[in-house]
Amino acid sequence: MTTPTTPLARVDLPYDPARPRPDWTIAAATATVLVLWASAFVAIRWVGDDLSPGALAFARQLVATVVLVGVAMWRRPPLPRGRSLVLVVVYGLLWFGGYTLVLNIAERHLDAGTAAMLVNIAPLIVAGVAGVLFKEGFPKPLIIGIGIAFVGVVLIAAGGVGAHSDPLGIALGLLAAVLYASGVLVQKVALRSTDALSATWVGCAVGAIALMPFLPALAGEVTHAPGTAVAAAVYLGVFPSAVAFLLWARVLQRGTAGATASATLAVPAIVVLLAWLLLGELPTLLGIVGGVLCLAGVAWSRRR
C-alpha cells in the first residue's frame, strides 16, 4: 500500500539580483543593446555638420533624461544614496557626459566603423581591470573569445572601412574608449547597491547637467538644422541612450563586468554593416572577415 502524495506547492522566491535568469532574456537584452549602440555610431555620422558635437551630445542626453524620468515616475525605484549616489554621479559624468561628447567630436574625424573599432578597445580594458580589482578572474573562454574578437577588430581597422581618419580622430577615439571603460567599471560597483533604473536615470541626468553649457549652441542650431538631423538626435536619446542603457544596466547587474563588456566587441561588425547599408561606407574583404571574427569571439566568450 502506498501513501498518497500531493503536488508540491509552488514557492515564489523573492527577487534576488544574484539569482541567474533564463539565458534567453539576457541574450535578447544584450543583442538589443549591441544593435542600438551600433546604430548610434551611424546616426552620429548621419547628423554630420548639421549639429555641433556639443549640441548633439546635450540634445541626446536631454531627450534620454526626459524618457527615463518618465519611466522612473511610473516605476518609482528607490533613489541612490550616500556612496552609491557618488558612484552614480561619477559614472554619469564619465559615460553619459564625457564619452558622448568625445565620441561626437571623434566622428568628425573618423568614419563610423573605425570609430566603433577604437571605442571597442574598452572591453579589453574592462576585462583586465575587473579580473584583478573585482576578483572576476580570467576564465579561459573569456580570454580566448576576447582574443578572437580583438583580431577581428584589428582587421577592421587595417582596411575594413573607408580611409577617412586622421591622428586627432584616433586619439579622440582612444579617449572615448577609456571613458567608456571607466564608466562601466564604476557602474558595476554602483549597481551592487543601486537599482538599475535609478542608476541609469540619475546618471543620464548628471550627464545632461554636465553638458548644459551647450544649450545655447543647441538652441541656435536646431532652428536651422534639417528635420533628419533633429530626428537623429531624438533617436539617439530615446533608443541608444534611454532604452539601451537601461537594458545594459540590468544585464551588467546580473553578470560579470568582463564577460558583459566583451559582448560589445561585436559592435564594430554591426557598425560596418549598417554604415555600408545606410551611409555607403563600403566594407572590404578585411572588414567582412573582421566582422565575422568579432561575432565569433563574442559567441565564444559567452560559453560557460
Side-chain angles (χ1 to χ4, degrees):
M1 181 177 180
T2 60
T3 304
T5 60
T6 57
L8 294 176
R10 176 182 173 182
V11 179
D12 290 324
L13 298 176
Y15 170 72
D16 178 6
R19 191 169 68 245
R21 286 288 190 254
D23 287 344
W24 71 267
T25 60
I26 301 300
T30 302
T32 301
V33 170
L34 298 184
V35 173
L36 291 179
W37 280 354
S39 71
F41 288 91
V42 178
I44 293 169
R45 289 280 291 168
W46 182 279
V47 171
D49 296 329
D50 295 322
L51 293 174
S52 62
L56 179 59
F58 176 68
R60 175 178 179 177
Q61 298 312 319
L62 180 62
V63 171
T65 299
V66 171
V67 173
L68 290 169
V69 167
V71 176
M73 291 177 66
W74 172 49
R75 297 292 300 273
R76 297 185 180 277
L79 290 172
R81 299 178 183 277
R83 178 174 177 268
S84 297
L85 178 59
V86 172
L87 290 170
V88 171
V89 169
V90 172
Y91 133 70
L93 290 173
L94 289 171
W95 206 346
F96 287 102
Y99 167 78
T100 302
L101 177 60
V102 172
L103 177 61
N104 288 354
I105 301 173
E107 288 210 51
R108 292 295 184 93
H109 303 271
L110 300 170
D111 54 62
T114 302
M117 179 278 302
L118 291 170
V119 166
N120 278 277
I121 293 174
L124 307 179
I125 302 173
V126 172
V129 175
V132 176
L133 295 185
F134 298 168
K135 309 299 183 183
E136 292 182 1
F138 299 94
K140 188 175 180 180
L142 175 61
I143 299 304
I144 294 176
I146 287 178
I148 295 172
F150 183 69
V151 172
V153 168
V154 170
L155 289 179
I156 293 174
V161 291
H164 176 63
S165 62
D166 58 48
L168 176 59
I170 293 172
L172 289 170
L174 293 174
L175 176 58
V178 172
L179 291 169
Y180 166 17
S182 302
V184 171
L185 293 166
V186 175
Q187 184 190 27
K188 178 60 180 177
V189 178
L191 288 173
R192 293 174 180 173
S193 56
T194 307
D195 177 82
L197 174 56
S198 292
T200 305
W201 85 257
V202 173
C204 189
V206 168
I209 293 171
L211 294 167
M212 279 194 70
F214 296 104
L215 173 59
L218 176 64
E221 295 171 14
V222 75
T223 57
H224 304 290
T228 53
V230 176
V234 173
Y235 170 82
L236 285 167
V238 175
F239 294 100
S241 287
V243 175
F245 273 93
L246 185 56
L247 289 174
W248 167 265
R250 295 189 181 280
V251 172
L252 184 61
Q253 193 174 48
R254 290 166 172 78
T256 63
T260 304
S262 71
T264 63
L265 285 165
V267 168
I270 304 172
V271 173
V272 169
L273 176 61
L274 292 177
W276 175 30
L277 296 175
L278 301 177
L279 301 177
E281 296 177 351
L282 297 176
T284 64
L285 178 59
L286 283 178
I288 296 173
V289 175
V292 171
L293 286 176
C294 284
L295 295 173
V298 170
W300 191 276
S301 71
R302 309 298 288 181
R303 295 182 62 192
R304 295 185 181 277

